[in-house]
Amino acid sequence: MRLSGDSAPGSMNSSGSGNFLLVPIPEYPLLDCVPNKTVKIVVLGASNVGKTALIVRFLTKRFIGDYEANTGEVSPPHSSDCLCHQRVPATIDPLIPSHSPFHPDLFVSAGALYSRKVTMDGEEVSLQIQDTPCVALQDDAEGLYCQEQINRSIYWADGYVLVFSITDNSSYRTIQPLYQHIRRIHPSGNIPVILVGNKSDLLRARQVPAEEGDTLATSLGGVYFEASARENHEGVHAAFLHLCQEVIRALGGGNGEKRKGGLHLARPKSPNMQELKRRFRQVLSSKVKSATTI
Ligand SMILES: Nc1nc2c(ncn2[C@@H]2O[C@H](COP(=O)(O)OP(=O)(O)OP(=O)(O)O)[C@@H](O)[C@H]2O)c(=O)[nH]1
């Protein structure tokens, strides 16, 4: 999918012109445009807390609900396996033919991986953000239901955005077990983490006081941000920016594999990438067919 947007404010700017790509990362990125530094971030949390909305807000400055309202599109209901799909605001690039696999008539999905080149403190950084399906508390309220795909993402990532909704106490209660789960996967070393209490626009429905978020974040060694993906870009931007800086500090100028002792793990497979490839093959085969019938 291709989206267009402005460069972000503050010290982090999208590189090049105002337009940027929002597409799954190619399996083999072009060598001549890969910055030295890579920051890999995964966004985790319970169902319906706004993980996808936060990522979309950060990358496009828009709220996913705007697009649904504008087009009359209705998102499918959240299924129990949390593989929900949402359309995102998209400005259609006139250069992309409608049959192209990169046309924005595609879905952003929980589990998608996004890539963006940014400049931080004068240096180009490849920022990769992994959206994930939701996690859920087990009946004993201590363990987690967590898909294997999420475990791979946790292993792969350098930094963690733990999201709950301030209107949903049970989503808050998943955070501690979620952090312990990350700790089990990364038993040693520093874990750059931020805690985001989303939906701060819904103050009247608040179930989690800000002080509790603050205390929990401190106990995890991170910082607490209250944000609204619906109403405020700046808060969301500040949260992601802070985590990027923490990751760069933790990596100590390395290239992203340092914390894992040089072990190389392939990035998690993006379902979007699979889908794009499938569509691309479809387009190619239909072109071949029509060429041979002429
Ligand atoms: N009022 C309000 N609604 C929000 C906010 N962020 C997200 N939402 C809404 O909350 C719902 C869930 O948002 P998503 O981004 O799909 O949440 P998610 O955590 O990715 O959901 P899962 O796919 O279930 O894991 C959608 O209807 C959003 O429009 C927010 O800041 N304020």
Side-chain angles (χ1 to χ4, degrees):
M1 179 183 296
R2 215 178 258 257
L3 298 176
S4 88
D6 300 321
S7 60
S11 60
M12 191 159 108
N13 301 300
S14 57
S15 63
S17 69
N19 291 335
F20 59 85
L21 290 177
L22 179 58
V23 295
I25 299 169
E27 298 290 331
Y28 303 104
L30 298 173
L31 290 175
D32 61 353
C33 64
V34 180
N36 282 335
K37 234 175 235 175
T38 302
V39 171
K40 292 175 284 185
I41 286 175
V42 64
V43 180
L44 299 160
S47 174
N48 211 30
V49 294
K51 297 180 292 295
T52 307
L54 286 165
I55 296 171
V56 170
R57 174 60 98 171
F58 173 63
L59 293 173
T60 71
K61 295 189 176 178
R62 301 251 331 250
F63 179 55
I64 47 176
D66 295 344
Y67 187 75
E68 288 159 17
N70 288 344
T71 61
E73 291 281 352
V74 180
S75 300
H78 290 88
S79 58
S80 55
D81 64 1
C82 304
L83 292 174
C84 63
H85 293 77
Q86 302 246 17
R87 282 185 185 275
V88 299
T91 304
I92 297 177
D93 185 333
L95 295 176
I96 308 173
S98 60
H99 61 260
S100 160
F102 294 114
H103 192 270
D105 189 23
L106 291 171
F107 289 96
V108 158
S109 66
L113 180 67
Y114 307 100
S115 172
R116 188 171 176 186
K117 231 194 290 182
V118 297
T119 305
M120 290 188 73
D121 301 329
E123 193 181 356
E124 276 208 332
V125 175
S126 165
L127 175 59
Q128 301 179 359
I129 305 178
Q130 176 78 49
D131 193 5
T132 58
C134 64
V135 297
L137 276 179
Q138 283 177 353
D139 294 339
D140 61 7
E142 285 180 12
L144 277 180
Y145 291 111
C146 193
Q147 293 180 19
E148 189 47 38
Q149 174 194 350
I150 298 180
N151 292 335
R152 284 200 298 273
S153 299
I154 291 173
Y155 200 102
W156 163 87
D158 302 315
Y160 303 85
V161 181
L162 307 186
V163 186
F164 68 93
S165 164
I166 67 155
T167 65
D168 176 4
N169 198 267
S170 71
S171 72
Y172 174 76
R173 283 186 278 110
T174 62
I175 298 294
Q176 183 76 47
L178 181 54
Y179 180 78
Q180 280 157 0
H181 190 72
I182 296 171
R183 263 275 162 236
R184 276 194 290 276
I185 293 175
H186 294 293
S188 59
N190 178 19
I191 294 182
V193 65
I194 56 167
L195 181 61
V196 177
N198 190 36
K199 306 197 183 183
S200 65
D201 55 294
L202 299 177
L203 278 179
R204 284 180 21 197
R206 183 192 278 277
Q207 292 183 359
V208 183
E211 306 75 56
E212 281 194 30
D214 217 24
T215 308
L216 177 57
T218 306
S219 75
L220 306 181
V223 173
Y224 179 55
F225 292 86
E226 246 175 41
S228 167
R230 177 184 283 273
E231 294 203 339
N232 182 290
H233 169 73
E234 281 71 28
V236 176
H237 181 78
F240 276 92
L241 177 61
H242 177 87
L243 183 60
C244 286
Q245 284 166 337
E246 286 299 306
V247 168
I248 287 174
R249 199 168 301 143
L251 296 176
N255 68 356
E257 301 304 326
K258 206 170 177 177
R259 185 163 52 84
K260 291 161 191 147
L263 178 66
H264 178 76
L265 253 201
R267 69 171 178 78
K269 285 255 181 266
S270 159
N272 254 9
M273 197 63 213
Q274 307 294 329
E275 175 64 3
L276 287 179
K277 280 182 176 171
R278 192 182 62 75
R279 288 185 185 212
F280 198 46
R281 274 197 296 271
Q282 257 178 7
V283 171
L284 279 182
S285 69
S286 68
K287 286 222 177 305
V288 170
K289 270 184 207 143
S290 56
T292 48
T293 49
I294 287 171

